[in-house]
Amino acid sequence: MLPDERSVLETEIVRLQGENAMLKKELLSRGPPVPGVSAPSGAKPGESELKLPSDAEVDKVISFLEKVWRRLIEMGRTVQRDVEKKN
C-alpha cells in the first residue's frame, strides 16, 4: 500500500469510529440497549462513580462513635476522680 493510500484509509477509519460513537450515543438517548455499550452513568470517563454508604452502614458508624464518645467521657471522669483523691 502506498503512503497516501494508507493515510486516506486511516483518516476514513477515524471518521467512521467517530460516526459510530455518535450513533451509539444517539441510540442510547432514545432508550433501546446498544450491544457492547453500557448506559451512561453521569460520571466522566476515568472517574469513579460516587457510592454512598447504606443506612445500615451509617448506623453502624454512628453506634461506634457513640461508644467511643461514652468511653472517652468515662475516662475523663475517672481521671478527674483520681486527681481529686490525690488532693
Side-chain angles (χ1 to χ4, degrees):
M1 205 181 316
L2 296 172
D4 287 340
E5 290 177 3
R6 182 171 180 83
S7 174
V8 169
L9 286 175
E10 288 176 354
T11 301
E12 182 65 6
I13 289 170
V14 169
R15 185 190 71 76
L16 289 172
Q17 287 172 333
E19 184 178 339
N20 191 11
M22 181 192 66
L23 290 171
K24 284 182 180 180
K25 284 181 185 177
E26 187 176 329
L27 277 175
L28 280 173
S29 70
R30 294 180 183 197
V34 178
V37 176
S38 61
S41 65
K44 295 179 182 174
E47 291 182 5
S48 61
E49 191 171 320
L50 177 64
K51 293 186 180 183
L52 297 175
S54 68
D55 287 343
E57 291 171 324
V58 171
D59 289 342
K60 259 179 141 175
V61 170
I62 290 173
S63 176
F64 172 76
L65 291 174
E66 286 175 345
K67 287 177 187 178
V68 169
W69 180 252
R70 287 187 183 123
R71 288 177 79 182
L72 182 62
I73 296 298
E74 188 57 39
M75 286 171 57
R77 288 181 183 152
T78 302
V79 168
Q80 186 177 14
R81 280 187 230 125
D82 290 346
V83 169
E84 289 173 355
K85 285 181 186 177
K86 289 182 180 179
N87 291 334

